[in-house]
Amino acid sequence: MSRFRLPFSFFLFPFFLASCTLYTDIPAKKPADIEGIAEIKKVAIINRTGQPANSQTKNVLEGIISGESVFADKDGAEKCVRGLYDCLLKSLNYDSIVLVGQVYVGNSINNFPPRFSQKLIDSLCLALNVEAIVALEYFDSNSGYATILDGAINPVLNRQGAYGNNNNIVIKTGWRMYGKDGVILDEHREQTWTSYSTYPNGWNRINYSQTYGVVSGTGYMAGINHAFRISEQWTMQRRPYFKKGSKALKHASNFARLNEWELAFELWEQCSKSMKRKVRARALHNLAVYYERKGDLATAMEKANASFTIKHYNQTSQEIFFLNQRIADEQRLISNKE
């Protein structure tokens, strides 16, 4: 009985494509995900995840039964608002950020508590000299363990003879953004997760301490994630460009790696007029990356479309997709300021 077999070159094809490109980082502005906040320049951040005194015992028992670290959520929530604060300091649309040290009682584990009253919001805005309040309304972490297998059904042992575990931490957060007069400008639920492997020696003690640290770190990331929802930010985006295809393309890629982009540009301009379709397409793609780096998105799109017309490279298709996304973002940034 004959069996169908793929040629050896088939398995090399993805590697071949990957080896033909280098990457460069391009700064790009990302608008806020929500609208209606263009006029807000001063905000305060409040942690509203405090629990009443009579609920402390219940929370400790929940942590023990679920395998979570005791008091990990309290520390994670503090890191969460810190992550939001640190990221908002880099925002393009806020002039002043205030992180309130007091923890407010919300009395909710995984759902929104009653909204702040208009009177309280107005008094806070006045006292803090801000125009909006961003509140972490609830914070909850959940962890789960799964034994690491060797690809079949056999548990993996470490050198001490202990079984390895996959630990998954899921952080659930709820956020509200209040404007003056107590108006809710945004209400949003988010999930942030981390997965890591452990090979414990003394399972209970070590996993509790590791979980505590992971909840704290993941909480910080949850704050950063929300900052991108409510603020304009600079981001770094990776773009591939071709390094092979002709001697001139190779020399140009060496210039680009040395950050001599103008010298690379001159060679790519020459190669874009080559009689060879592959060389011409790759040079045009690289010119698209060059113009995107300079912020000339219209010319970058023109070069990318010209390249894709000649040869349908996946890298060029992705470049066109990201350029369309960036052009839409630029239009949103302009409209937000009008």
Side-chain angles (χ1 to χ4, degrees), residues 17 28 40 44 49 84 94 98 104 134 138-139 159 186 193 213 216 224 232 245 260 306 332-333:
L17 278 182
I40 297 174
T49 62
L84 176 66
Y94 298 124
V98 178
Y104 287 74
V134 181
Y138 68 82
F139 181 101
R159 292 180 180 178
D186 185 46
W193 65 275
S216 177
I224 292 176
E232 297 174 4
E260 297 286 351
R332 282 187 57 196
L333 287 165

Side-chain angles (χ1 to χ4, degrees), residues 60-95:
V60 170
L61 288 174
E62 179 190 2
I64 295 173
I65 294 171
S66 65
E68 301 166 15
S69 291
V70 178
F71 304 122
D73 282 1
K74 178 177 180 295
D75 185 70
E78 292 174 358
K79 294 299 191 298
C80 189
V81 293
R82 170 58 67 172
L84 176 66
Y85 173 75
D86 288 347
C87 194
L88 288 187
L89 287 176
K90 304 174 184 177
S91 67
L92 304 174
N93 57 318
Y94 298 124
D95 299 329

Side-chain angles (χ1 to χ4, degrees), residues 24-30 92 233-239 259 261 289-297 323 326 330 333:
T24 183
D25 291 329
I26 294 178
K29 286 182 181 179
K30 178 193 173 298
L92 304 174
Q233 296 278 344
W234 279 106
T235 63
M236 296 301 291
Q237 301 181 5
R238 302 205 77 192
R239 296 288 187 267
N259 211 31
W261 287 91
V289 174
Y290 167 83
Y291 280 109
E292 186 184 3
R293 281 178 55 87
K294 292 179 69 70
D296 188 347
L297 302 184
L323 282 170
R326 284 200 61 189
E330 290 287 337
L333 287 165

Side-chain angles (χ1 to χ4, degrees), residues 14-50:
F15 175 77
F16 174 75
L17 278 182
S19 67
C20 287
T21 55
L22 295 171
Y23 289 86
T24 183
D25 291 329
I26 294 178
K29 286 182 181 179
K30 178 193 173 298
D33 293 338
I34 63 174
E35 299 179 353
I37 61 171
E39 297 180 357
I40 297 174
K41 299 301 178 184
K42 301 178 181 180
V43 297
I45 302 168
I46 286 178
N47 179 359
R48 199 189 176 190
T49 62

Side-chain angles (χ1 to χ4, degrees), residues 72-271:
D73 282 1
K74 178 177 180 295
D75 185 70
E78 292 174 358
K79 294 299 191 298
C80 189
V81 293
R82 170 58 67 172
L84 176 66
Y85 173 75
D86 288 347
C87 194
L88 288 187
L89 287 176
K90 304 174 184 177
S91 67
L92 304 174
N93 57 318
Y94 298 124
D95 299 329
S96 175
I97 318 293
V98 178
L99 178 58
V100 179
Q102 177 183 348
V103 178
Y104 287 74
V105 173
N107 196 25
S108 181
I109 299 297
N110 55 13
N111 207 347
F112 283 102
R115 59 189 291 176
F116 277 134
S117 67
Q118 175 183 338
K119 182 179 180 181
L120 178 59
I121 291 298
D122 286 344
S123 64
L124 285 171
C125 287
L126 181 62
L128 299 170
N129 189 27
V130 296
E131 300 156 347
I133 302 291
V134 181
L136 174 61
E137 302 275 352
Y138 68 82
F139 181 101
D140 184 42
S141 68
N142 292 288
S143 62
Y145 298 96
T147 300
I148 299 176
L149 304 179
D150 63 0
I153 58 174
N154 304 309
V156 176
L157 296 174
N158 67 357
R159 292 180 180 178
Q160 287 75 35
Y163 291 116
N165 294 288
N166 272 337
N167 187 4
N168 300 301
I169 297 289
V170 178
I171 302 294
K172 296 180 181 179
T173 52
W175 303 86
R176 283 192 181 121
M177 187 174 190
Y178 298 86
K180 290 183 178 180
D181 300 325
V183 175
I184 294 181
L185 302 174
D186 185 46
E187 185 175 277
H188 184 63
R189 303 172 189 267
E190 289 180 351
Q191 286 194 16
T192 307
W193 65 275
T194 299
S195 180
Y196 68 99
S197 301
T198 58
Y199 294 90
N201 181 15
W203 189 90
N204 290 329
R205 175 174 55 83
I206 290 183
N207 272 274
Y208 275 11
S209 62
Q210 287 179 338
T211 300
Y212 189 93
V214 174
V215 170
S216 177
T218 309
Y220 188 86
M221 289 304 303
I224 292 176
N225 288 343
H226 191 66
F228 276 87
R229 175 176 174 80
I230 64 172
S231 67
E232 297 174 4
Q233 296 278 344
W234 279 106
T235 63
M236 296 301 291
Q237 301 181 5
R238 302 205 77 192
R239 296 288 187 267
Y241 61 95
F242 291 99
K243 67 177 182 179
K244 293 181 179 180
S246 70
K247 289 183 179 180
L249 284 175
K250 185 177 180 180
H251 288 314
S253 68
N254 289 334
F255 284 135
R257 276 191 287 190
L258 295 173
N259 211 31
E260 297 286 351
W261 287 91
E262 297 305 321
L263 295 176
F265 166 77
E266 293 177 6
L267 290 176
W268 288 333
E269 273 282 298
Q270 296 172 18
C271 292

